[in-house]
Each structure stands twice: as structure tokens, then as C-alpha cells.
Amino acid sequence: MTDAGHRFDVHLLEGMKCLQNFDATGHEFSLRYVWVVCVSAFDFYLTELVSEAGLRLIDRTPRILTHNLRQVEVPLGNVLDIDQLGPAERLLFFRQHIFSSIQYKSFYRPEKVSEALSYIWTCPAKEKWARILTRMKVDGGYYHRTEQDIRDELALIGDRRDLIAHAVDISPGTVEPNPVTREDAARVIEFVGDLVSAIDAETESQLAPGGRQ
């Protein structure tokens, strides 16, 4: 597992605490916060994953630079000073600039997941979601699902998160918040966790020496 994956697991625990809070109090706002924390944890995971895996690609021999990594901008003054840095400092320099270039991007939409992975996956673009789904099917829980199914589920989670964060979970034309259940909230935690596990496993596979492309 990547370091980004380990940190995601810690962040996802906030979602479990929301369920525990609901069990203890019955307050529905605890359930709604599950969407917020899960999407935020997923978004931040991809940002950290790109930074971590991008650095690992740069540090290998021979070095691998995807098209997206080549587009990372570095101030000219910093480039001119890079020769003064030691090997470890140089790697930290690269990681910092990869992170800075994407830290304000949102990656929780299906098409944005593909964009993030384009920085660090060298497989053909059209294979990304197929590989994610293959990994999600390993435990059998997604055996009958399609690529579009999991893309749609992520999109719905993102839509609900936006509604909760920006419109107190009230749909246009209504006055009451949308209904929320513990089962739905628990499913969000499960799905986002499974999605990250799949992405992380495939990333490690591609980054391994002789890993599949």
C-alpha cells in the first residue's frame, strides 16, 4: 500500500465516527457529514497519490515522465538553483512542485479520477476504469458491476456531497432536506474505501519493477 493509501485509511475513520455518533445520538447531520468527509478524503488521497507516485517515477532508472508530469510548472529561478541541492533535497523539491501544481484541483468526479491517474499510470487511457473495476472484483463484491456502474456511483456520491456542502442537502424546488439513512451512509464509506483500495493496488502494480503497463 502507498503512503497515501495509509493516510486515507486514517481519514476514512472519520466516516466511521459519524456512524457511531448517529448510533449514540440519532442526529442525522452525523450521517450527512459522511458524504463530506469521504469525498474530501478521496480527493486528498488522489492529490497525495499523484505526488508520491510521481516522485517514484522520477526517481527510477530509467526515469519515467508521463505527459502530465511533463506539464508540471517549476519557476525558472528554482530550476536554476536545483544543481545546488543534494539528492534527497532534489526529490523533495520535485514532490513539492508536483503537489503544488494539483493541490487546488478536485479529483472526485469520474473524469477527474482519470485525469489524476494520467499523471502516474502509464497504461492506455481507456483502460483506467477497466483496471479499477478488475481490482474491485477481486473480493467478489463487485462481480456483477460494470465500469459505468462504478463511475455512476462515484458521481452520485459527489453530487450528494455537493448538495450537502452547498445547499444543506435540499434539492431545488423543495424545502425539506433529502432523506438520509444509516445504510446509505455506510455504503458510501464502503464504496469509497473499496475504490481507493483498487486504485492503490493497481498503482503499486504499475510502479513495481517490471509492472504491467
Side-chain angles (χ1 to χ4, degrees), residues 5-22:
H6 284 298
R7 285 190 290 273
F8 169 81
D9 286 345
V10 173
H11 298 151
L12 196 64
L13 290 176
E14 290 295 313
M16 299 304 298
K17 290 179 182 177
C18 291
L19 296 184
Q20 294 168 4
N21 183 277
F22 174 76

Side-chain angles (χ1 to χ4, degrees), residues 31-41 160-161 164-165 188:
L31 296 181
R32 290 190 170 87
Y33 189 64
V34 167
W35 276 260
V36 176
V37 72
C38 285
V39 169
S40 294
R160 185 70 181 271
R161 174 267 177 194
I164 292 168
V188 170

Side-chain angles (χ1 to χ4, degrees), residues 112-123:
K112 292 299 183 180
V113 173
S114 297
E115 178 185 336
L117 296 178
S118 292
Y119 282 86
I120 56 174
W121 285 14
T122 55
C123 67

